[in-house]
Amino acid sequence: MKKLLAAVFALAALSNAAYADTIKIGVVGPFSGPFALQGKNFKAGIDAWLSLNGKTVGKDEIAIVYRDLPQADPARSKSLAQELVVREGVQYLAGFYFTPDAMAATALLQQGNVPMVVMNAATSAIVASSPLVVRTSFTTWQTTTPIAQVAKDQGVTKAITLVSDYGPGIDAENAFKTGFEKAGGKVVETIRMPLSTNDFAPLMQRIKDSGAEGLFTFLPSGPPTLAFVKAYNDNGLKAAGIKFYATGDLTQESDLPALGESALGLQTTYHYAVSHESPENKTFVAAAERAIGNPAELSFPAVSAFDGMYVISKMIEATGGKQDAKAAVEAVKGLSWTSPRGPVTIDPDSRHITQNIYLREVAKDANGKYYNKELQTFEKQGDPGLAFVKK
Amino acid sequence: MQTVLSIAVDALAYGMVLFVISIGLSVTMGLMRVVNLAHGAFAMIGGYFASYAARDLGLGYGPAILIAIIGTVIIAIPVERFLYRRIYGAPELTQVLMTIGITFCVIGITNYAFGPTLKTVPLPPALQGSVDLGFRTIATHRIFAIACGLAVAGGLWFLIERTSFGIRIRAAVDNAPMTAALGVRTEVVYAVSFAVAIALAAFGGVIGAELLPLEPYYALRYMVTFLVVVSVGGAGSIGGALIACLLLGTIDTTARYLAPEYGEFFFYLAVILIVTLFPRGLAGRLK
């Protein structure tokens, strides 16, 4: 027993000594609980990057420290971030699936001298809350705005919006309304439904009664999307010719096998489809599928995590491994590269990612597998939602 | 008028789905006096069995339901023998702790074995699509769920009120030691009623899968809804649960149609009012 203890201490001492040139990155995300699939995708994206680029940047070795935050919990997020910065000594914070979690942790960045790379949380205001935040995911405004144009182009003049009643849902409603009215359409009704809704039949009836030609909807990815799409088909909205528009959250790849036939033909706009045709994406998907184990589980958070790792590697290169949050963020402002999702740039003013948004349609490939087929590209989309953030 | 009819149809369909899923819990809580928070977990196990049988083994919907019920009961028997039998008659807190623990174990095992993605139970062609009722269309599957709900209600009523087994259950519920003294093997009665409750949970999990999709957190996600139905209806009362489901279904559906922005305000307001006026539920017996 004594020997074992001694060995443990020796090992601890050794690894402590190695910390001198190991740069730690703290990743906070939902790795257990109802959103574990999204956390798994964070990890898959990060592992894919490490397997393709190696664990060293310049002379420094990077180590990832994961912290589990199963559900949106700002207080816990803050304490986890603090623990990572103070006890683990991480130089970079990354991850963050939910907006409140990211918001709570931004308060620590300045004092901790730590930049944050947001790999999912999609509310415009996050980048405005601290100059040390960089985001490689998307915002709901960014992915929603193009679909309003699509709806108008397809001849819809009267639309109805139906969104989950929480931050991103309200963002989506405002974005669609703004975009659709700018294009000359009219939103006849806006309905907000509780997040916990299971039975969508009465809402479908109300949409039918409203006389709208098109329905825009936003639901967070997860179990309710299945019941929602089924309700849309079963209550005769599809048969009545009411067109369906949504953001890609509704048809994320990991939900498609369950949605199946009923999702065929649904049009969504999003920043990334696993099926995106490009050599960069092929390499990424191959590596990420290996990392996640089951290819059917791969979906959008993986690509944001992958790109987040790229941004962090550039930060480490620029600062030579020294902890200097301001210089690190400064170095990636205006950074452009080809991501698996297409050409992207970190906007120097907002530090949010400028990227292509794609119009996709759910289709079936030769092997009977459902996928998001890209139809149209909206190039270099910034975040229109920033204009509405209260300063 | 059309709107009223339309809401009524939706309310009936939603209420019956709620009934099929919750009635098993009403049986365990009312007849066996076990606060079984693992009810949703058993419903989920049933759903996964059906999903596996229908999707991966390619069996029909009927056999899938049978496999779900039998499979779930087989899993439940050792659980009853070794875990539940210790908590019959125990204080509620002990029961809650034990059953919530079982729930978390089931969630973990399901997540590990089947992964976190959504699972569906493919419907046979006859139940797919929708039916035109004249004033609106409704999913065929909903009509099937309504029929199942009525069948379950009728069957259970017959079992409890009209069979000799039902007499033994009622006797064991009212006074277990006295019933045992009269020569009834109460542990067998309990085991069988537990199996019936579990079978109902599994059946509900499969029938309700269209509305409440299967994923590992199913077991916790809908627990509040199940408990609300039982407490409003009165534990152990089939008629009470039926009325509660139809009433809550109507309130929820109407509120969702007319004022969705209020969320579940009206639903829980109704629950508070009913529980205040009838502390033992709509059909609960006063002690």
Side-chain angles (χ1 to χ4, degrees), chain B residues 28-49:
Chain B
T28 30
M29 278 179 70
L31 300 184
M32 308 176 65
R33 306 269 158 75
V34 176
V35 185
N36 185 14
L37 296 188
H39 181 75
F42 287 111
M44 181 175 83
I45 293 175
Y48 270 86
F49 263 116

